[in-house]
C-alpha cells in the first residue's frame, strides 16, 4: 500500500464527515487507506463513520488520549509506505495525497527528506502552514501576549495569514528551517513517525520534527501543488493559548515546559523562569483550577 491517511477525531462529526468526503472524492490513482482514530467522541461520530464510510478503518479509543497518542494508535496498524497525518478540520481540494507521494518517490536524494506539507488555505488565502522551532525568545513573547490578552481581552488576532490579499499560486515549493504544522504532515511509515505521547496537545509536531528530522539533517519541504483548506481551530473551538482562562492554554503551557525540558535540559535559568511564569496562570480565574492544580501541572 502506498499511503495511510490517519485522522484523529474528537467530537467533530461534521468536520470529520467533510474531511472524509474530500479524501475519498479527491484521492485517485494511488493505493491508500484511511484510518480514523476516535478519542471517545460522544457526538455520534462513531456511528456516522460506520454507516457512511464503511471502508474506513475505525479505532475506538474509548477516551481522549490526546493528539499524538491517538495518531500513534493509527500508526500501529497502518499498512502504507507513507503516513499522512491529516487534521479532521481540513478539506482536500485536489489529489493532494498522490501529489505528496509522487514528489517523494521522484525526488533526488529522497532519503534526505523527513517530511512534506502544503501551503494551507482558508478563504483562498495562505494561512499558518509551518513555523520556526520554539526558542526562548519567541516563547517569552507568546507568554506576555497571553498575559495582555487575558487581562485586556483579545486586542488583535495573533494568528495572521502569511501575507494579506495573497494569491496561493505565488507560494512555491521550498525547504523550510522549522516544522510543518501537524494539520497535514506527510512522513515515512517508520519509527520517526511516532509522536511523544507525553504531549496531550500542542508542540507534538514540533518535537517530532526537531528530534527525528532536524537533528538528523532531514529536510522539511512545503509543496505548492497540493491544495488543502484548514479551518484553523475548528477542532478546538478557537480556544487558543492566548487566553489563560481556556483549557487549551493549560495544555499549551504544559507542553511548552515539556518541550524545553526534554530538548534543552541544560538551559536551567530559562526553565526555572518559564516554570515560574507558567505558575502565574494561577492568578487568572479558571473553571479548571480545582481539577488540575498548577503545582502538579508544572511537574512534567
Amino acid at each position: 500500500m502506498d499511503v495511510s491517511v490517519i485522522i484523529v477525531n474528537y467530537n467533530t462529526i461534521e468536520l470529520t464527515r467533510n474531511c472524509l468526503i474530500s479524501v475519498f472524492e479527491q484521492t485517485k490513482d494511488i493505493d491508500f487507506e484511511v484510518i480514523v482514530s476516535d478519542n471517545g467522541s460522544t457526538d455520534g461520530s462513531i456511528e456516522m463513520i460506520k454507516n457512511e464510510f464503511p471502508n474506513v478503518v475505525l479505532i475506538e479509543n474509548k477516551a481522549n488520549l490526546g493528539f499524538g497518542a491517538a495518531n500513534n494508535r493509527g500508526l500501529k496498524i497502518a499498512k502504507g509506505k507513507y503516513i499522512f497525518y491529516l487534521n479532521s478540520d481540513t478539506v482536500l481540494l485536489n489529489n493532494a495525497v498522490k501529489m505528496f507521494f509522487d514528489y517523494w518517490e521522484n525526488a533526488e536524494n529522497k532519503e534526505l527528506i523527513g517530511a512534506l506539507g502544503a501551503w494551507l488555505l482558508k478563504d483562498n488565502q495562505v494561512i499558518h502552514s509551518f513555523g520556526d522551532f520554539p526558542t526562548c525568545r519567541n516563547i517569552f513573547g507568546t507568554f506576555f501576549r497571553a498575559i495582555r490578552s487575558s487581562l485586556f481581552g483579545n486586542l488583535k488576532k495573533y494568528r495572521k495569514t502569511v501575507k494579506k490579499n495573497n494569491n496561493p499560486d505565488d507560494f512555491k515549493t521550498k525547504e523550510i528551517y522549522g516544522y510543518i504544522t501537524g494539520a497535514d504532515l506527510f512522513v515515512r511509515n517508520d519509527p520517526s513517525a511516532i509522536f511523544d505521547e507525553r504531549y496531550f496537545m500542542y508542540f507534538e509536531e514540533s518535537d517530532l520534527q526537531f528530534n527525528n528530522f532536524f537533528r538528523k539533517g532531514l529536510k522539511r519541504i512545503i509543496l505548492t501543488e497540493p491544495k488543502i483548506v484548514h479551518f484553523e481551530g475548528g477542532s478546538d473551538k478557537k480556544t487558543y493559548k492566548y487566553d489563560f482562562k481556556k483549557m487549551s492554554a493549560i495544555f499549551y503551557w504544559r507542553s511548552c515546559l515539556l518541550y524545553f525540558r526534554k530538548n534543552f535540559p541544560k538551559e536551567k535559568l530559562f526553565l526555572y523562569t518559564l516554570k515560574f511564569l507558567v505558575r502565574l496562570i494561577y492568578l487568572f480565574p479558571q473553571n479548571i483550577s480545582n481539577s488540575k492544580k498548577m503545582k502538579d501541572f508544572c511537574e512534567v
Side-chain angles (χ1 to χ4, degrees):
M1 184 172 291
D2 297 323
V3 180
S4 295
V5 181
I6 300 178
I7 300 169
V8 174
N9 176 67
Y10 178 61
N11 289 331
T12 56
I13 181 171
E14 291 302 326
L15 290 169
T16 299
R17 175 187 281 119
N18 292 333
C19 179
L20 290 171
I21 289 173
S22 74
V23 170
F24 286 109
E25 285 186 349
Q26 298 292 344
T27 308
K28 301 176 178 65
D29 304 319
I30 190 171
D31 187 16
F32 75 101
E33 65 177 349
V34 178
I35 301 170
V36 174
S37 184
D38 185 84
N39 271 341
S41 295
T42 57
D43 64 345
S45 292
I46 292 177
E47 293 76 13
M48 179 273 293
I49 294 170
K50 288 180 178 178
N51 293 331
E52 300 180 23
F53 303 94
N55 51 342
V56 165
V57 180
L58 178 62
I59 301 173
E60 299 181 48
N61 293 315
K62 306 298 183 182
N64 191 351
L65 305 180
F67 182 77
N71 273 313
N72 286 347
R73 299 302 180 274
L75 181 64
K76 286 182 179 179
I77 64 171
K79 301 175 182 177
K81 179 179 180 180
Y82 297 97
I83 300 296
F84 186 31
Y85 292 123
L86 186 65
N87 269 22
S88 64
D89 58 349
T90 59
V91 169
L92 305 188
L93 300 183
N94 61 12
N95 198 355
V97 178
K98 189 173 190 302
M99 291 173 180
F100 285 125
F101 178 82
D102 288 346
Y103 181 91
W104 202 318
E105 287 292 293
N106 298 322
E108 294 184 7
N109 300 319
K110 60 184 178 181
E111 68 279 359
L112 297 180
I113 298 176
L116 301 177
W119 294 100
L120 297 173
L121 306 173
K122 186 176 181 180
D123 299 326
N124 203 37
Q125 293 203 351
V126 173
I127 59 173
H128 178 64
S129 306
F130 60 90
D132 295 330
F133 289 117
T135 64
C136 302
R137 180 176 178 179
N138 61 33
I139 286 300
F140 278 142
T142 299
F143 185 88
F144 288 113
R145 287 196 296 271
I147 289 281
R148 184 172 64 176
S149 177
S150 293
L151 287 176
F152 306 111
N154 192 12
L155 302 182
K156 65 177 182 178
K157 293 181 180 180
Y158 294 106
R159 287 196 168 193
K160 298 180 179 179
T161 56
V162 176
K163 187 171 65 175
K164 290 185 178 180
N165 301 319
N166 59 66
N167 180 348
D169 293 332
D170 292 339
F171 294 84
K172 304 302 182 183
T173 294
K174 71 171 189 175
E175 180 180 349
I176 64 170
Y177 172 80
Y179 67 93
I180 298 168
T181 180
D184 67 319
L185 186 59
F186 194 92
V187 296
R188 292 186 186 89
N189 186 353
D190 62 25
S192 68
I194 300 174
F195 287 97
D196 185 335
E197 296 188 10
R198 290 177 292 175
Y199 296 95
F200 184 79
M201 61 188 296
Y202 300 118
F203 286 84
E204 59 276 286
E205 75 265 49
S206 305
D207 180 81
L208 182 148
Q209 294 175 67
F210 183 75
N211 286 289
N212 296 347
F213 306 145
F214 174 75
R215 283 181 162 171
K216 297 178 181 178
L218 299 178
K219 299 176 181 179
R220 284 82 59 213
I221 301 173
I222 295 292
L223 306 186
T224 189
E225 292 82 5
K227 305 298 181 185
I228 303 173
V229 174
H230 183 205
F231 301 102
E232 249 186 331
S235 57
D236 62 6
K237 303 187 187 305
K238 293 289 183 183
T239 54
Y240 288 137
K241 56 186 174 290
Y242 297 112
D243 189 347
F244 284 158
K245 301 181 182 71
K246 302 296 185 179
M247 174 70 93
S248 61
I250 297 297
F251 293 122
Y252 179 87
W253 292 107
R254 183 183 187 277
S255 295
C256 179
L257 281 170
L258 172 58
Y259 179 88
F260 282 100
R261 283 176 174 170
K262 174 182 176 180
N263 296 307
F264 303 97
K266 295 182 180 180
E267 301 293 334
K268 299 295 185 182
L269 178 60
F270 168 76
L271 291 172
Y272 284 130
T273 304
L274 181 61
K275 182 176 180 179
F276 170 77
L277 290 174
V278 172
R279 284 177 181 266
L280 291 180
I281 298 176
Y282 236 162
L283 298 177
F284 296 86
Q286 299 176 58
N287 294 329
I288 64 170
S289 59
N290 292 328
S291 62
K292 190 65 177 177
K293 297 297 185 182
M294 193 57 62
K295 179 179 179 182
D296 298 330
F297 159 78
C298 288
E299 302 302 327
V300 294

